[in-house]
Amino acid sequence: SASAPPLRLSSSPELNCARDTHNDLPWQMRSLFNNQLNMVDLNKLNTTHTNIPKIKEGRLSAQFWAAYVPCDTQYKDAVRQTLEQIDVIHRMCHEYPEVFKFAASSQDILDAFEQNKTASLIGVEGGHSIDSSLGTLRTMYQLGVRYLTITHSCNTPWADNWLVDTGSEPEMHGGLSEFGKQVIWEMNRIGMLIDLSHVSEKVMNQVLDISKAPIIFSHSSAYSVCNHKRNVPDDVLMRVKEKRGIVMVNFYNDYVTCSPTANISDVADHFDHIKKVAGSSIIGFGGDYDGVTRVPEGLGDVSKYPDLVAELLRRKWSEDEIRDALGRNLLRVFSEVEEVRDHLNGTKPDDIPIPLKEVQNPCRTDFGYQDKSSSTCIKSFYPLVLVLSLLNKLL
Amino acid sequence: MASEKVVVAPLAIKMVLHNDLALRLRMHFKNKLSNFSIHDNSNFATDIRRLAAGHVGGQVFAAYVLCTAQDKDAVRLTLEQIDVIRRMCTENPEMELVTTAEGMRNSTKIACLISIEGGHSIDSSLPALRMFYQLGVRSMALTHNCNTPWAESSASLYPNYQRKNNSLTDFGKAVVNEMNRLGMLVDLSHSSWETARSVLKHSTAPVLFSHSSAYAICNNVRNIPDDLLLLLKENGGLIMVNFYSSFVACSHNANVSIVADHFDHIKRVIGAESIGIGADYDGAQGFPKGLEDVSKYPALIEELISRNWTEEELAGVLRLNFLRVFQKVEKVRE
């Protein structure tokens, strides 16, 4: 790039330590190695945006790793595959304990920082991963998952995704269904961060209406700067501010400049815009490294965060504002979500299942539902299934 | 009978295995715990009042999903069952979720342990197995009444994955290895004898039959023949006797005495230290007269005392044998 060489601020360590909320390295582990971690050395891997030397150079102090499975697993084996992605993240932390420290709380993030390690958290990217099951949501929380992206790029039986806003997919729920609201409230109750990247605009607004805790956009940028439907419009930015949430800027060129090319300055434009509209308290880094193919010149991999910080400093961001964006905002949101959880402690888990008719598909059995009158081919099998199941237990 | 009461009192905290209450919760209540009273519920064979009356100190709850969910949504259903057990055991002040032998030993409440009843729950995925372990699952039956792609069931109800030979495939051995490595109990109830034989030869940790009885007394394929009992002895494992009438008496008429016959027989073949109780309450209908629900265990103990079982042997059967095996399995992990 033609601008002056970036300023490295080694004098203030906190000014260089980024906390990023979306990295798809686990998906690369699956695509490239089928999750066989003993076939890869993260110290030497050089075909991805992320590896250990680059993490160190980029001073990445916390990272939400995405446990992502594609939308075509919906109504098939999404749950199992998601468990496998959660597992690979845990194993990655075990394999490289000097580098990664598994984290599941705001305090854990601070502890990892003290130990000079990268706090490693898990975000499940897509509501299809929970297969319309609050029990599954709860057990994933138990496994350390701390955010759920409400949809990926497909509708779930209870929420619409961003493609609905482009007209390329039919709207199914007008935002969230009744069960979708149950999901939001249960997430508030257990302390799971709600991630609105990938959802439709109606879902954004409805969640902002009903959530009892602040929300996040783990990897979305500003719609006013690049009018891509994966980005966040100004009115929503202001609502996020009211709700004390955060929008973590995505570096994917197509979302930064609405074109296949971009540079650091273009990314900084998003930071500037969001700050102008809603203040620096709602901004952060959600690079989407290893989840996308085209990243900006000057931000080619995870070692480059300090260069972006330098650009912001050049644009007269104060140190305070930069600290907010680098990580204080995330910590604030995370703590507040934990507080809401603690406040709701003692309320009962939601165990009302999704209505059967909203979720019928050939891969789904319907054990436990008493009223099967709305099911079609399953209905005639029910007496047979019951008899078989009793026979089962008798043998 | 005053002397019997004195003997029973020191054995007041019991170890019981294998309870399918969670299955009933799904079938009857869609897992809605709010609709279900765990304190006093005459519809089921288990509730806290009766667990207390039966002096039950520990209970392994099975997160079980029907075989018809194999290759469909078995994984999700299993997570939901694990969730309902966890909630049941943490929402009730008399119960406590445990995940270690020590936790079980030291608990002053009804200690809950989570198990999975059937390898179809892991959908042939070792990561899923590991995640279940992380959720607190400490025992898994390799099969229920259906074969998995890698192990064979004793039942031939379902056509899937039937095979001749290869009752435990290489992947099946990998599953057993991973269970050994994690410290998860391998449960062979419901597996075919050939699968059990392979596992008994391959496992580096003791294994168990969580709810099976003696084939010599009642020749049902869910029971265990003497030669397998001997392999179990070598392995250092445990057989937890099932009370279900069809398995103990090969008929619907059973009583405490025939159940005790199983205990006597197994003791004769491999010793009292290899025996435990795996009643299978709420997993079936049809239990012996005098042993209809979890409060009736003392009746069995009294019968065994009258057959000259020593206090030490009974303490083992009730609790200590299981804890010993569980501890050994944890040691293999280290």
mmCIF file of all heavy atoms in Angstrom, chain A residues 130 132-141 186 350-351, chain B residues 76 79-84 87:
data_model
loop_
_atom_site.group_PDB
_atom_site.id
_atom_site.type_symbol
_atom_site.label_atom_id
_atom_site.label_comp_id
_atom_site.label_asym_id
_atom_site.label_seq_id
_atom_site.Cartn_x
_atom_site.Cartn_y
_atom_site.Cartn_z
ATOM 1 N N ILE A 130 -28.411 -26.781 16.397
ATOM 2 C CA ILE A 130 -29.091 -27.263 17.604
ATOM 3 C C ILE A 130 -30.342 -28.073 17.272
ATOM 4 O O ILE A 130 -31.019 -28.551 18.182
ATOM 5 C CB ILE A 130 -29.450 -26.133 18.600
ATOM 6 C CG1 ILE A 130 -30.503 -25.182 18.025
ATOM 7 C CG2 ILE A 130 -28.204 -25.405 19.063
ATOM 8 C CD1 ILE A 130 -31.137 -24.290 19.102
ATOM 9 N N SER A 132 -33.343 -27.466 16.500
ATOM 10 C CA SER A 132 -34.584 -27.057 17.165
ATOM 11 C C SER A 132 -34.767 -27.693 18.536
ATOM 12 O O SER A 132 -35.876 -28.072 18.909
ATOM 13 C CB SER A 132 -35.804 -27.410 16.287
ATOM 14 O OG SER A 132 -35.703 -26.785 15.030
ATOM 15 N N SER A 133 -33.699 -27.802 19.273
ATOM 16 C CA SER A 133 -33.766 -28.487 20.563
ATOM 17 C C SER A 133 -33.101 -27.666 21.653
ATOM 18 O O SER A 133 -31.892 -27.446 21.617
ATOM 19 C CB SER A 133 -33.077 -29.846 20.423
ATOM 20 O OG SER A 133 -32.719 -30.374 21.672
ATOM 21 N N LEU A 134 -33.891 -27.238 22.626
ATOM 22 C CA LEU A 134 -33.320 -26.455 23.725
ATOM 23 C C LEU A 134 -32.408 -27.317 24.587
ATOM 24 O O LEU A 134 -31.430 -26.829 25.151
ATOM 25 C CB LEU A 134 -34.438 -25.835 24.568
ATOM 26 C CG LEU A 134 -35.337 -24.852 23.814
ATOM 27 C CD1 LEU A 134 -36.456 -24.349 24.716
ATOM 28 C CD2 LEU A 134 -34.525 -23.672 23.301
ATOM 29 N N GLY A 135 -32.719 -28.610 24.686
ATOM 30 C CA GLY A 135 -31.838 -29.520 25.424
ATOM 31 C C GLY A 135 -30.458 -29.556 24.787
ATOM 32 O O GLY A 135 -29.435 -29.578 25.470
ATOM 33 N N THR A 136 -30.438 -29.554 23.457
ATOM 34 C CA THR A 136 -29.164 -29.550 22.740
ATOM 35 C C THR A 136 -28.427 -28.235 22.976
ATOM 36 O O THR A 136 -27.207 -28.221 23.185
ATOM 37 C CB THR A 136 -29.399 -29.776 21.239
ATOM 38 O OG1 THR A 136 -30.044 -31.031 21.067
ATOM 39 C CG2 THR A 136 -28.097 -29.781 20.454
ATOM 40 N N LEU A 137 -29.158 -27.131 22.960
ATOM 41 C CA LEU A 137 -28.560 -25.827 23.262
ATOM 42 C C LEU A 137 -27.880 -25.857 24.629
ATOM 43 O O LEU A 137 -26.734 -25.435 24.799
ATOM 44 C CB LEU A 137 -29.654 -24.753 23.250
ATOM 45 C CG LEU A 137 -29.245 -23.335 23.626
ATOM 46 C CD1 LEU A 137 -28.453 -22.686 22.505
ATOM 47 C CD2 LEU A 137 -30.470 -22.477 23.947
ATOM 48 N N ARG A 138 -28.586 -26.383 25.616
ATOM 49 C CA ARG A 138 -28.040 -26.434 26.974
ATOM 50 C C ARG A 138 -26.806 -27.314 27.065
ATOM 51 O O ARG A 138 -25.830 -26.978 27.734
ATOM 52 C CB ARG A 138 -29.107 -26.914 27.967
ATOM 53 C CG ARG A 138 -30.159 -25.859 28.298
ATOM 54 C CD ARG A 138 -31.047 -26.338 29.433
ATOM 55 N NE ARG A 138 -31.998 -27.356 29.026
ATOM 56 C CZ ARG A 138 -33.231 -27.114 28.562
ATOM 57 N NH1 ARG A 138 -33.655 -25.863 28.446
ATOM 58 N NH2 ARG A 138 -34.028 -28.102 28.219
ATOM 59 N N THR A 139 -26.857 -28.471 26.392
ATOM 60 C CA THR A 139 -25.677 -29.341 26.487
ATOM 61 C C THR A 139 -24.495 -28.724 25.745
ATOM 62 O O THR A 139 -23.350 -28.888 26.161
ATOM 63 C CB THR A 139 -25.946 -30.767 25.970
ATOM 64 O OG1 THR A 139 -26.576 -30.691 24.699
ATOM 65 C CG2 THR A 139 -26.838 -31.545 26.917
ATOM 66 N N MET A 140 -24.752 -27.994 24.674
ATOM 67 C CA MET A 140 -23.625 -27.335 24.011
ATOM 68 C C MET A 140 -23.027 -26.257 24.915
ATOM 69 O O MET A 140 -21.803 -26.078 24.957
ATOM 70 C CB MET A 140 -24.060 -26.767 22.663
ATOM 71 C CG MET A 140 -24.225 -27.891 21.638
ATOM 72 S SD MET A 140 -24.638 -27.282 19.993
ATOM 73 C CE MET A 140 -24.643 -28.853 19.103
ATOM 74 N N TYR A 141 -23.860 -25.576 25.656
ATOM 75 C CA TYR A 141 -23.336 -24.615 26.631
ATOM 76 C C TYR A 141 -22.454 -25.341 27.630
ATOM 77 O O TYR A 141 -21.367 -24.891 27.997
ATOM 78 C CB TYR A 141 -24.479 -23.898 27.350
ATOM 79 C CG TYR A 141 -23.994 -22.817 28.297
ATOM 80 C CD1 TYR A 141 -23.799 -21.515 27.845
ATOM 81 C CD2 TYR A 141 -23.699 -23.102 29.626
ATOM 82 C CE1 TYR A 141 -23.327 -20.521 28.698
ATOM 83 C CE2 TYR A 141 -23.220 -22.123 30.483
ATOM 84 C CZ TYR A 141 -23.039 -20.830 30.009
ATOM 85 O OH TYR A 141 -22.565 -19.855 30.860
ATOM 86 N N GLU A 186 -34.058 -18.604 26.330
ATOM 87 C CA GLU A 186 -33.269 -19.650 26.979
ATOM 88 C C GLU A 186 -31.779 -19.295 26.911
ATOM 89 O O GLU A 186 -31.025 -19.554 27.842
ATOM 90 C CB GLU A 186 -33.551 -21.018 26.349
ATOM 91 C CG GLU A 186 -32.946 -22.199 27.093
ATOM 92 C CD GLU A 186 -33.519 -22.435 28.497
ATOM 93 O OE1 GLU A 186 -34.422 -21.687 28.931
ATOM 94 O OE2 GLU A 186 -33.038 -23.358 29.182
ATOM 95 N N ASP A 350 -36.311 -23.983 30.097
ATOM 96 C CA ASP A 350 -37.467 -24.106 29.219
ATOM 97 C C ASP A 350 -37.468 -25.505 28.630
ATOM 98 O O ASP A 350 -36.517 -25.902 27.954
ATOM 99 C CB ASP A 350 -37.364 -23.058 28.101
ATOM 100 C CG ASP A 350 -38.575 -23.039 27.177
ATOM 101 O OD1 ASP A 350 -39.389 -23.996 27.223
ATOM 102 O OD2 ASP A 350 -38.709 -22.077 26.408
ATOM 103 N N ASP A 351 -38.517 -26.269 28.925
ATOM 104 C CA ASP A 351 -38.532 -27.594 28.299
ATOM 105 C C ASP A 351 -39.749 -27.803 27.416
ATOM 106 O O ASP A 351 -40.195 -28.931 27.226
ATOM 107 C CB ASP A 351 -38.379 -28.702 29.348
ATOM 108 C CG ASP A 351 -39.390 -28.606 30.469
ATOM 109 O OD1 ASP A 351 -40.377 -27.860 30.346
ATOM 110 O OD2 ASP A 351 -39.172 -29.311 31.477
ATOM 111 N N ARG B 76 -29.059 -36.093 18.707
ATOM 112 C CA ARG B 76 -29.817 -35.009 19.337
ATOM 113 C C ARG B 76 -30.661 -35.539 20.495
ATOM 114 O O ARG B 76 -30.720 -34.967 21.574
ATOM 115 C CB ARG B 76 -30.722 -34.297 18.334
ATOM 116 C CG ARG B 76 -31.669 -33.301 19.036
ATOM 117 C CD ARG B 76 -32.754 -32.719 18.146
ATOM 118 N NE ARG B 76 -33.627 -33.684 17.542
ATOM 119 C CZ ARG B 76 -34.753 -34.159 18.061
ATOM 120 N NH1 ARG B 76 -35.136 -33.771 19.266
ATOM 121 N NH2 ARG B 76 -35.495 -35.028 17.409
ATOM 122 N N LEU B 79 -28.541 -36.138 23.484
ATOM 123 C CA LEU B 79 -28.217 -34.888 24.182
ATOM 124 C C LEU B 79 -29.408 -34.447 25.033
ATOM 125 O O LEU B 79 -29.244 -33.978 26.168
ATOM 126 C CB LEU B 79 -27.862 -33.782 23.187
ATOM 127 C CG LEU B 79 -26.534 -33.925 22.446
ATOM 128 C CD1 LEU B 79 -26.339 -32.761 21.482
ATOM 129 C CD2 LEU B 79 -25.358 -33.993 23.412
ATOM 130 N N GLU B 80 -30.613 -34.607 24.508
ATOM 131 C CA GLU B 80 -31.795 -34.185 25.263
ATOM 132 C C GLU B 80 -31.984 -35.052 26.512
ATOM 133 O O GLU B 80 -32.383 -34.558 27.571
ATOM 134 C CB GLU B 80 -33.045 -34.238 24.380
ATOM 135 C CG GLU B 80 -33.034 -33.164 23.298
ATOM 136 C CD GLU B 80 -34.271 -33.158 22.417
ATOM 137 O OE1 GLU B 80 -34.995 -34.169 22.392
ATOM 138 O OE2 GLU B 80 -34.497 -32.130 21.752
ATOM 139 N N GLN B 81 -31.686 -36.336 26.379
ATOM 140 C CA GLN B 81 -31.819 -37.194 27.555
ATOM 141 C C GLN B 81 -30.758 -36.863 28.596
ATOM 142 O O GLN B 81 -31.035 -36.857 29.799
ATOM 143 C CB GLN B 81 -31.736 -38.682 27.161
ATOM 144 C CG GLN B 81 -32.926 -39.165 26.341
ATOM 145 C CD GLN B 81 -34.257 -38.693 26.902
ATOM 146 O OE1 GLN B 81 -34.791 -37.656 26.487
ATOM 147 N NE2 GLN B 81 -34.789 -39.399 27.856
ATOM 148 N N ILE B 82 -29.553 -36.594 28.124
ATOM 149 C CA ILE B 82 -28.495 -36.189 29.061
ATOM 150 C C ILE B 82 -28.930 -34.907 29.766
ATOM 151 O O ILE B 82 -28.785 -34.759 30.985
ATOM 152 C CB ILE B 82 -27.153 -35.978 28.329
ATOM 153 C CG1 ILE B 82 -26.620 -37.316 27.822
ATOM 154 C CG2 ILE B 82 -26.129 -35.292 29.240
ATOM 155 C CD1 ILE B 82 -25.390 -37.198 26.933
ATOM 156 N N ASP B 83 -29.510 -33.986 29.001
ATOM 157 C CA ASP B 83 -29.969 -32.725 29.583
ATOM 158 C C ASP B 83 -31.056 -32.970 30.629
ATOM 159 O O ASP B 83 -31.032 -32.372 31.708
ATOM 160 C CB ASP B 83 -30.489 -31.813 28.470
ATOM 161 C CG ASP B 83 -31.162 -30.542 28.990
ATOM 162 O OD1 ASP B 83 -30.465 -29.689 29.563
ATOM 163 O OD2 ASP B 83 -32.385 -30.416 28.827
ATOM 164 N N VAL B 84 -31.994 -33.865 30.362
ATOM 165 C CA VAL B 84 -33.081 -34.069 31.318
ATOM 166 C C VAL B 84 -32.557 -34.738 32.600
ATOM 167 O O VAL B 84 -32.984 -34.403 33.702
ATOM 168 C CB VAL B 84 -34.292 -34.829 30.696
ATOM 169 C CG1 VAL B 84 -34.096 -36.336 30.666
ATOM 170 C CG2 VAL B 84 -35.561 -34.498 31.448
ATOM 171 N N ARG B 87 -30.713 -32.097 34.597
ATOM 172 C CA ARG B 87 -31.641 -31.177 35.244
ATOM 173 C C ARG B 87 -32.316 -31.833 36.439
ATOM 174 O O ARG B 87 -32.427 -31.248 37.504
ATOM 175 C CB ARG B 87 -32.692 -30.706 34.236
ATOM 176 C CG ARG B 87 -32.166 -29.630 33.301
ATOM 177 C CD ARG B 87 -33.002 -29.481 32.053
ATOM 178 N NE ARG B 87 -34.403 -29.421 32.394
ATOM 179 C CZ ARG B 87 -35.391 -29.779 31.569
ATOM 180 N NH1 ARG B 87 -35.134 -30.233 30.365
ATOM 181 N NH2 ARG B 87 -36.632 -29.691 31.957
#
